[in-house]
Amino acid sequence: MFVLRNWETTGLVGFEQVMPGVYFGSRNSLDEASGLVKKGTLKPQDFRFFIGYAGWQIDQLREEIESDYWYLAACSANLIFGCSQNNATSAGGLWEEILQLMGGHYSDLSRKPKQDI
């Protein structure tokens, strides 16, 4: 999956806006994304790719969130795309930066070795 940044108010056909300026894409929309880069509508740095798989049964994610297996956080397009003050470029760096910005217990979690989390 990937997210892309676009500040145009017209939106992008074939992509789902998940927050202002940020759109979701998947393997099915790679050709469209490639075409937008070739046309100059978007630049390669407007994309952030995430590799892996996540899938849930009906209500499973909601139940996992309620059981504190996941942490919800407000976010911004600038943070997702590495424009924040720490400029987190890796997915791990982004995760750590968001936890630190949340403060308190979450900030402590960001400093723990990965196998302890």
Side-chain angles (χ1 to χ4, degrees), residues 4-12 17 19-23 40-42 46:
L4 62 94
R5 172 178 39 193
N6 181 31
W7 297 111
E8 299 294 321
T9 57
T10 58
L12 294 171
Q17 186 172 20
M19 61 187 287
V22 177
Y23 293 79
T41 304
L42 296 173
D46 290 329

Side-chain angles (χ1 to χ4, degrees), residues 8-59:
E8 299 294 321
T9 57
T10 58
L12 294 171
V13 176
F15 300 94
E16 181 178 350
Q17 186 172 20
V18 293
M19 61 187 287
V22 177
Y23 293 79
F24 170 80
S26 66
R27 182 180 346 178
N28 297 336
S29 52
L30 279 173
D31 287 339
E32 177 68 24
S34 175
L36 291 169
V37 172
K38 288 177 184 173
K39 285 193 256 181
T41 304
L42 296 173
K43 297 179 243 147
Q45 57 268 32
D46 290 329
F47 292 84
R48 182 130 194 195
F49 289 87
F50 299 89
I51 299 172
Y53 172 79
W56 293 269
Q57 300 280 333
I58 294 175
D59 293 328

Side-chain angles (χ1 to χ4, degrees), residues 56-107:
W56 293 269
Q57 300 280 333
I58 294 175
D59 293 328
Q60 180 182 353
L61 180 57
R62 181 186 50 76
E63 291 168 3
E64 289 179 9
I65 291 169
E66 290 171 357
S67 297
D68 291 329
Y69 294 139
W70 294 94
Y71 304 122
L72 300 181
C75 203
S76 71
N78 287 340
L79 183 60
I80 293 169
F81 288 93
C83 300
S84 64
Q85 80 185 73
N86 293 332
N87 199 15
T89 56
S90 71
L94 177 60
W95 171 244
E96 291 167 1
E97 183 173 0
I98 290 170
L99 287 173
Q100 289 171 10
L101 289 169
M102 291 170 67
H105 168 71
Y106 302 106
S107 183

